[in-house]
Each structure stands twice: as C-alpha cells, then as structure tokens.
Amino acid sequence: MAKLNDHDLAFLCDVDMDVKNEFLTKCRRNTIQGKSVYYPEVFKLYNRKYVYRNGWKPRKYSINREQGHWGYYAYGMLCIYKSDYKAVGGLDTGMMGWGGEDVDLYERVLRSNLDVLRAPDTSLVHKWHSKSC
C-alpha cells in the first residue's frame, strides 16, 4: 500500500486464491472511491484427499457443493481505494497469530460512511491448504 497513490484501487487477498481475469473487472465496477468497497464472498475448495476417495481427480475444479462451499464468514478479500483504506485506519499490523485482522478492518469499514457490497463471486476461489500458525 505504501507505494500506491490515494486514487489507486487496491485488491487485498490471500496468496492461495485462484483469481480469474473477470474478477478484476468486478473489483473496478463494484468499488467507488469515497463511497463503496467490495468484499466478495469466495468459494472455498475442500481437501481433494477427502473429496475424491477413489483416487480419480478432475484436472479442473467446479463450483458445486461436492467440491467446496461459500465462505460467507471470510473477510480477507477486499477491493478498496487507498484513500478509503487510510480513512478507516488500514490493517492492524500489530495483531499476533493467525486471523482477526481482516474482521477488525471489516468492522471499521462498516462503521465508516462507506457502503459495503458483499456478494458471492465465482471468479475468486480459495484453494484448500492445511493451516499452521
């Protein structure tokens, strides 16, 4: 964020996301500087080890209930202008451990004058991985 100008649009995301090109268009269309931010709901893939017990694995995933679920409770993905990010105080970099900083930022955005657009987005998929802190 440090190198961005106030009028630049930023996309905050996890490193384990599959981001399709059409997402960037949605990010731009759903984020208005000084007015709104976009918090997409992402599709979270299950561990393929348990989804495909018979050893067969498709080369591509599909968005369906057999392969994953919608992460309506996740707030780490965000499209926001730098000026709006600064106005709400940005991410709390002093938090320790895994998680929490995204929810903290989301709650501050909700308390601001910015509108929040939250919707399922098929162009953003979270790849399954084990968690370790």
Side-chain angles (χ1 to χ4, degrees), residues 3-16:
K3 293 186 179 187
L4 297 180
N5 295 315
D6 282 352
H7 299 294
D8 289 339
L9 177 60
F11 170 46
L12 283 63
C13 75
D14 293 344
V15 297
D16 47 10

Side-chain angles (χ1 to χ4, degrees), residues 9-133:
L9 177 60
F11 170 46
L12 283 63
C13 75
D14 293 344
V15 297
D16 47 10
M17 298 300 298
D18 183 9
V19 181
K20 300 203 177 348
N21 288 337
E22 61 263 25
F23 173 77
L24 300 176
T25 300
K26 292 177 188 180
C27 182
R28 286 190 298 270
R29 287 184 179 163
N30 292 318
T31 310
I32 303 169
Q33 188 174 15
K35 293 191 178 229
S36 65
V37 298
Y38 181 44
Y39 269 98
E41 293 179 9
V42 302
F43 190 76
K44 297 172 135 323
L45 293 173
Y46 295 136
N47 184 342
R48 293 170 65 97
K49 175 177 155 184
Y50 298 108
V51 172
Y52 304 106
R53 292 178 185 259
N54 60 4
W56 175 83
K57 294 179 184 172
R59 287 192 279 188
K60 292 184 122 185
Y61 59 80
S62 297
I63 294 181
N64 60 52
R65 70 171 78 169
E66 286 79 33
Q67 292 192 30
H69 67 281
W70 287 102
Y72 62 88
Y73 50 84
Y75 303 98
M77 282 17 86
L78 165 65
C79 295
I80 189 168
Y81 279 89
K82 182 176 178 179
S83 60
D84 297 329
Y85 179 84
K86 286 176 14 182
V88 298
L91 283 168
D92 181 351
T93 57
M95 287 190 166
M96 301 299 289
W98 179 78
E101 71 284 348
D102 53 345
V103 175
D104 175 67
L105 177 60
Y106 179 67
E107 289 173 346
R108 284 187 279 118
V109 169
L110 288 176
R111 289 191 301 268
S112 75
N113 291 328
L114 297 167
D115 291 328
V116 173
L117 175 60
R118 190 127 168 92
D121 195 320
T122 58
S123 59
L124 200 57
V125 175
H126 183 265
K127 298 175 186 176
W128 185 88
H129 59 86
S130 60
K131 289 187 172 50
S132 60
C133 297

